[in-house]
Amino acid sequence: MSGQSLLVPGELSPHRSVPGSIRRPEYVGNPAPTPYTGPEVQDSDTVERMRIAGRIAAQAMEEAAKHIAPGVTTDELDRVAHEFMCDHGAYPSTLGYRGFPKSLCASINEVICHGIPDSTVLRDGDIVNLDVTAYINGVHGDNNATYLCGDVDEESRLLVERTRESLNRAIKAVKPGRQINIIGRVIESYAKRFGYGVVRDFTGHGINSSFHSGLIVPHYDSPHHTTEIKTGMTFTIEPMLTLGTHDYDMWDDGWTVVTKDRKRTAQFEHTLVVTETGAEILTLP
């Protein structure tokens, strides 16, 4: 694996503004969102609005990813995605969610998830996950992907490639009538082939008018998560695979999650709606 030095927190830039004409999620300005009490199965109108939100989120992530290169700061990636979402009438869902200060999550190398964009400069050989969620027309669309920065070592390249494949396999396993733990069973069985760790404490989730509805989608084989998958359900699948342990530490910022052994980790995510025959990806650019 690359001999890159471990990450340390950088400096935060000032709060980015959102035009007043753009509708905010209800949690903005509050310490926490109002608990969701609605259904996990969504009507066709909600799903269509989620397609729009998902498309904007996917396009914003693509636009930010174009700027990934050695010497670029994660704050610059945040700026690009923020401006793209605002220009398309969407609110960056992470901005102000439980106090999160930025418009995307940028998680480099040993950061499992929730990395805060700051003055940190990307280095040749880094891998970086961008997690982008857009809120528009009263609903959210959430996606993430891990990208290569410059000349990345083979072990890290394979981790990224196989994490993407684990998501693809999990999506294919989604069928009405199955239990939701089929998703984690497929991911974990694939990851075990390569000796990868599968993160347990951060999961996929239900999503709709709520950023996180309360539905949990584990990425490991959990006998306790037996919710039946039903047509019209909307949720994310977002496996996090590691080169070592699935155990983690959290930085003092209360957000940045790093592998306990500081080995590298990758993640991919889509928002889905369950169809009569499988799943449709809502976060396509």
mmCIF file of all heavy atoms in Angstrom, residues 115-141:
data_model
loop_
_atom_site.group_PDB
_atom_site.id
_atom_site.type_symbol
_atom_site.label_atom_id
_atom_site.label_comp_id
_atom_site.label_asym_id
_atom_site.label_seq_id
_atom_site.Cartn_x
_atom_site.Cartn_y
_atom_site.Cartn_z
ATOM 1 N N GLY A 115 -15.729 12.871 6.216
ATOM 2 C CA GLY A 115 -14.626 13.815 6.224
ATOM 3 C C GLY A 115 -15.107 15.214 5.870
ATOM 4 O O GLY A 115 -15.903 15.400 4.937
ATOM 5 N N ILE A 116 -14.649 16.216 6.605
ATOM 6 C CA ILE A 116 -15.078 17.600 6.400
ATOM 7 C C ILE A 116 -14.120 18.288 5.428
ATOM 8 O O ILE A 116 -12.917 18.348 5.689
ATOM 9 C CB ILE A 116 -15.115 18.366 7.736
ATOM 10 C CG1 ILE A 116 -16.093 17.707 8.705
ATOM 11 C CG2 ILE A 116 -15.501 19.827 7.503
ATOM 12 C CD1 ILE A 116 -16.091 18.328 10.099
ATOM 13 N N PRO A 117 -14.610 18.821 4.311
ATOM 14 C CA PRO A 117 -13.732 19.546 3.388
ATOM 15 C C PRO A 117 -13.067 20.738 4.077
ATOM 16 O O PRO A 117 -13.716 21.498 4.803
ATOM 17 C CB PRO A 117 -14.689 20.014 2.289
ATOM 18 C CG PRO A 117 -15.824 19.042 2.338
ATOM 19 C CD PRO A 117 -15.987 18.715 3.796
ATOM 20 N N ASP A 118 -11.765 20.885 3.824
ATOM 21 C CA ASP A 118 -11.013 21.962 4.453
ATOM 22 C C ASP A 118 -9.787 22.277 3.603
ATOM 23 O O ASP A 118 -9.788 22.035 2.390
ATOM 24 C CB ASP A 118 -10.643 21.596 5.907
ATOM 25 C CG ASP A 118 -9.833 20.297 6.013
ATOM 26 O OD1 ASP A 118 -9.228 19.878 4.997
ATOM 27 O OD2 ASP A 118 -9.777 19.712 7.112
ATOM 28 N N SER A 119 -8.744 22.777 4.204
ATOM 29 C CA SER A 119 -7.548 23.178 3.467
ATOM 30 C C SER A 119 -6.644 22.004 3.107
ATOM 31 O O SER A 119 -5.582 22.199 2.495
ATOM 32 C CB SER A 119 -6.753 24.195 4.292
ATOM 33 O OG SER A 119 -6.321 23.614 5.522
ATOM 34 N N THR A 120 -7.049 20.793 3.457
ATOM 35 C CA THR A 120 -6.245 19.618 3.133
ATOM 36 C C THR A 120 -6.013 19.523 1.627
ATOM 37 O O THR A 120 -6.953 19.623 0.830
ATOM 38 C CB THR A 120 -6.937 18.333 3.627
ATOM 39 O OG1 THR A 120 -7.061 18.395 5.057
ATOM 40 C CG2 THR A 120 -6.153 17.094 3.233
ATOM 41 N N VAL A 121 -4.755 19.312 1.243
ATOM 42 C CA VAL A 121 -4.380 19.247 -0.171
ATOM 43 C C VAL A 121 -4.273 17.787 -0.601
ATOM 44 O O VAL A 121 -3.615 16.977 0.063
ATOM 45 C CB VAL A 121 -3.032 19.973 -0.394
ATOM 46 C CG1 VAL A 121 -2.554 19.802 -1.826
ATOM 47 C CG2 VAL A 121 -3.164 21.456 -0.045
ATOM 48 N N LEU A 122 -4.930 17.443 -1.702
ATOM 49 C CA LEU A 122 -4.827 16.089 -2.242
ATOM 50 C C LEU A 122 -3.409 15.831 -2.744
ATOM 51 O O LEU A 122 -2.764 16.715 -3.313
ATOM 52 C CB LEU A 122 -5.813 15.903 -3.396
ATOM 53 C CG LEU A 122 -7.298 16.001 -3.043
ATOM 54 C CD1 LEU A 122 -8.143 15.845 -4.300
ATOM 55 C CD2 LEU A 122 -7.687 14.959 -2.004
ATOM 56 N N ARG A 123 -2.951 14.596 -2.500
ATOM 57 C CA ARG A 123 -1.594 14.208 -2.888
ATOM 58 C C ARG A 123 -1.646 13.119 -3.952
ATOM 59 O O ARG A 123 -2.617 12.362 -4.030
ATOM 60 C CB ARG A 123 -0.830 13.689 -1.658
ATOM 61 C CG ARG A 123 -0.737 14.689 -0.515
ATOM 62 C CD ARG A 123 -0.379 14.014 0.803
ATOM 63 N NE ARG A 123 -1.408 13.078 1.229
ATOM 64 C CZ ARG A 123 -1.366 12.387 2.362
ATOM 65 N NH1 ARG A 123 -0.336 12.526 3.185
ATOM 66 N NH2 ARG A 123 -2.337 11.555 2.688
ATOM 67 N N ASP A 124 -0.602 13.059 -4.754
ATOM 68 C CA ASP A 124 -0.487 11.995 -5.735
ATOM 69 C C ASP A 124 -0.523 10.645 -5.019
ATOM 70 O O ASP A 124 0.235 10.420 -4.066
ATOM 71 C CB ASP A 124 0.826 12.155 -6.501
ATOM 72 C CG ASP A 124 0.942 11.154 -7.638
ATOM 73 O OD1 ASP A 124 0.055 11.150 -8.514
ATOM 74 O OD2 ASP A 124 1.903 10.366 -7.638
ATOM 75 N N GLY A 125 -1.434 9.764 -5.444
ATOM 76 C CA GLY A 125 -1.564 8.457 -4.820
ATOM 77 C C GLY A 125 -2.702 8.346 -3.824
ATOM 78 O O GLY A 125 -2.987 7.248 -3.330
ATOM 79 N N ASP A 126 -3.370 9.450 -3.510
ATOM 80 C CA ASP A 126 -4.524 9.405 -2.606
ATOM 81 C C ASP A 126 -5.721 8.737 -3.280
ATOM 82 O O ASP A 126 -5.858 8.744 -4.516
ATOM 83 C CB ASP A 126 -4.960 10.820 -2.202
ATOM 84 C CG ASP A 126 -4.071 11.453 -1.144
ATOM 85 O OD1 ASP A 126 -3.342 10.722 -0.450
ATOM 86 O OD2 ASP A 126 -4.114 12.698 -1.011
ATOM 87 N N ILE A 127 -6.615 8.193 -2.475
ATOM 88 C CA ILE A 127 -7.966 7.881 -2.927
ATOM 89 C C ILE A 127 -8.906 8.764 -2.117
ATOM 90 O O ILE A 127 -8.687 9.000 -0.926
ATOM 91 C CB ILE A 127 -8.320 6.393 -2.789
ATOM 92 C CG1 ILE A 127 -8.213 5.904 -1.333
ATOM 93 C CG2 ILE A 127 -7.419 5.552 -3.686
ATOM 94 C CD1 ILE A 127 -8.719 4.460 -1.135
ATOM 95 N N VAL A 128 -9.944 9.279 -2.755
ATOM 96 C CA VAL A 128 -10.831 10.230 -2.079
ATOM 97 C C VAL A 128 -12.277 9.905 -2.400
ATOM 98 O O VAL A 128 -12.651 9.747 -3.567
ATOM 99 C CB VAL A 128 -10.488 11.688 -2.442
ATOM 100 C CG1 VAL A 128 -10.511 11.910 -3.947
ATOM 101 C CG2 VAL A 128 -11.435 12.667 -1.751
ATOM 102 N N ASN A 129 -13.085 9.779 -1.363
ATOM 103 C CA ASN A 129 -14.517 9.554 -1.514
ATOM 104 C C ASN A 129 -15.257 10.879 -1.415
ATOM 105 O O ASN A 129 -15.040 11.654 -0.477
ATOM 106 C CB ASN A 129 -15.030 8.596 -0.434
ATOM 107 C CG ASN A 129 -16.534 8.378 -0.533
ATOM 108 O OD1 ASN A 129 -17.310 9.132 0.033
ATOM 109 N ND2 ASN A 129 -16.932 7.356 -1.259
ATOM 110 N N LEU A 130 -16.115 11.140 -2.384
ATOM 111 C CA LEU A 130 -17.008 12.295 -2.350
ATOM 112 C C LEU A 130 -18.424 11.799 -2.100
ATOM 113 O O LEU A 130 -18.901 10.899 -2.796
ATOM 114 C CB LEU A 130 -16.961 13.068 -3.664
ATOM 115 C CG LEU A 130 -15.602 13.622 -4.095
ATOM 116 C CD1 LEU A 130 -15.752 14.408 -5.386
ATOM 117 C CD2 LEU A 130 -14.986 14.483 -3.005
ATOM 118 N N ASP A 131 -19.085 12.376 -1.111
ATOM 119 C CA ASP A 131 -20.448 12.002 -0.736
ATOM 120 C C ASP A 131 -21.316 13.242 -0.879
ATOM 121 O O ASP A 131 -21.126 14.224 -0.146
ATOM 122 C CB ASP A 131 -20.461 11.477 0.703
ATOM 123 C CG ASP A 131 -21.757 10.773 1.064
ATOM 124 O OD1 ASP A 131 -22.788 11.044 0.420
ATOM 125 O OD2 ASP A 131 -21.741 9.958 2.001
ATOM 126 N N VAL A 132 -22.240 13.208 -1.840
ATOM 127 C CA VAL A 132 -23.028 14.391 -2.201
ATOM 128 C C VAL A 132 -24.512 14.058 -2.127
ATOM 129 O O VAL A 132 -24.956 13.053 -2.694
ATOM 130 C CB VAL A 132 -22.678 14.875 -3.617
ATOM 131 C CG1 VAL A 132 -23.506 16.114 -3.982
ATOM 132 C CG2 VAL A 132 -21.186 15.185 -3.736
ATOM 133 N N THR A 133 -25.271 14.903 -1.456
ATOM 134 C CA THR A 133 -26.717 14.754 -1.355
ATOM 135 C C THR A 133 -27.372 16.083 -1.710
ATOM 136 O O THR A 133 -26.945 17.135 -1.232
ATOM 137 C CB THR A 133 -27.143 14.336 0.058
ATOM 138 O OG1 THR A 133 -26.357 13.225 0.476
ATOM 139 C CG2 THR A 133 -28.612 13.964 0.109
ATOM 140 N N ALA A 134 -28.388 16.021 -2.551
ATOM 141 C CA ALA A 134 -29.111 17.224 -2.971
ATOM 142 C C ALA A 134 -30.556 17.159 -2.480
ATOM 143 O O ALA A 134 -31.181 16.086 -2.494
ATOM 144 C CB ALA A 134 -29.080 17.354 -4.490
ATOM 145 N N TYR A 135 -31.078 18.322 -2.076
ATOM 146 C CA TYR A 135 -32.462 18.442 -1.608
ATOM 147 C C TYR A 135 -33.192 19.428 -2.513
ATOM 148 O O TYR A 135 -32.772 20.585 -2.649
ATOM 149 C CB TYR A 135 -32.476 18.945 -0.165
ATOM 150 C CG TYR A 135 -33.846 19.181 0.416
ATOM 151 C CD1 TYR A 135 -34.619 18.124 0.896
ATOM 152 C CD2 TYR A 135 -34.377 20.464 0.504
ATOM 153 C CE1 TYR A 135 -35.874 18.336 1.455
ATOM 154 C CE2 TYR A 135 -35.631 20.698 1.059
ATOM 155 C CZ TYR A 135 -36.375 19.635 1.538
ATOM 156 O OH TYR A 135 -37.611 19.848 2.085
ATOM 157 N N ILE A 136 -34.253 18.952 -3.166
ATOM 158 C CA ILE A 136 -35.035 19.820 -4.046
ATOM 159 C C ILE A 136 -36.454 19.262 -4.126
ATOM 160 O O ILE A 136 -36.653 18.045 -4.044
ATOM 161 C CB ILE A 136 -34.397 19.921 -5.450
ATOM 162 C CG1 ILE A 136 -35.089 21.006 -6.296
ATOM 163 C CG2 ILE A 136 -34.354 18.585 -6.157
ATOM 164 C CD1 ILE A 136 -34.354 21.320 -7.603
ATOM 165 N N ASN A 137 -37.425 20.141 -4.228
ATOM 166 C CA ASN A 137 -38.832 19.724 -4.306
ATOM 167 C C ASN A 137 -39.242 18.867 -3.115
ATOM 168 O O ASN A 137 -40.084 17.971 -3.226
ATOM 169 C CB ASN A 137 -39.116 18.971 -5.608
ATOM 170 C CG ASN A 137 -38.886 19.819 -6.837
ATOM 171 O OD1 ASN A 137 -39.114 21.034 -6.829
ATOM 172 N ND2 ASN A 137 -38.416 19.192 -7.910
ATOM 173 N N GLY A 138 -38.591 19.114 -1.961
ATOM 174 C CA GLY A 138 -38.999 18.454 -0.726
ATOM 175 C C GLY A 138 -38.439 17.074 -0.498
ATOM 176 O O GLY A 138 -38.843 16.404 0.459
ATOM 177 N N VAL A 139 -37.478 16.620 -1.346
ATOM 178 C CA VAL A 139 -36.908 15.277 -1.189
ATOM 179 C C VAL A 139 -35.400 15.318 -1.398
ATOM 180 O O VAL A 139 -34.852 16.274 -1.956
ATOM 181 C CB VAL A 139 -37.535 14.261 -2.166
ATOM 182 C CG1 VAL A 139 -39.014 14.060 -1.879
ATOM 183 C CG2 VAL A 139 -37.312 14.701 -3.612
ATOM 184 N N HIS A 140 -34.734 14.239 -0.965
ATOM 185 C CA HIS A 140 -33.279 14.132 -1.056
ATOM 186 C C HIS A 140 -32.876 13.055 -2.056
ATOM 187 O O HIS A 140 -33.585 12.058 -2.244
ATOM 188 C CB HIS A 140 -32.684 13.738 0.302
ATOM 189 C CG HIS A 140 -32.962 14.697 1.408
ATOM 190 N ND1 HIS A 140 -32.112 15.730 1.743
ATOM 191 C CD2 HIS A 140 -34.008 14.773 2.287
ATOM 192 C CE1 HIS A 140 -32.604 16.397 2.775
ATOM 193 N NE2 HIS A 140 -33.750 15.835 3.124
ATOM 194 N N GLY A 141 -31.690 13.241 -2.648
ATOM 195 C CA GLY A 141 -31.018 12.212 -3.439
ATOM 196 C C GLY A 141 -29.576 12.138 -2.983
ATOM 197 O O GLY A 141 -28.891 13.162 -2.921
#
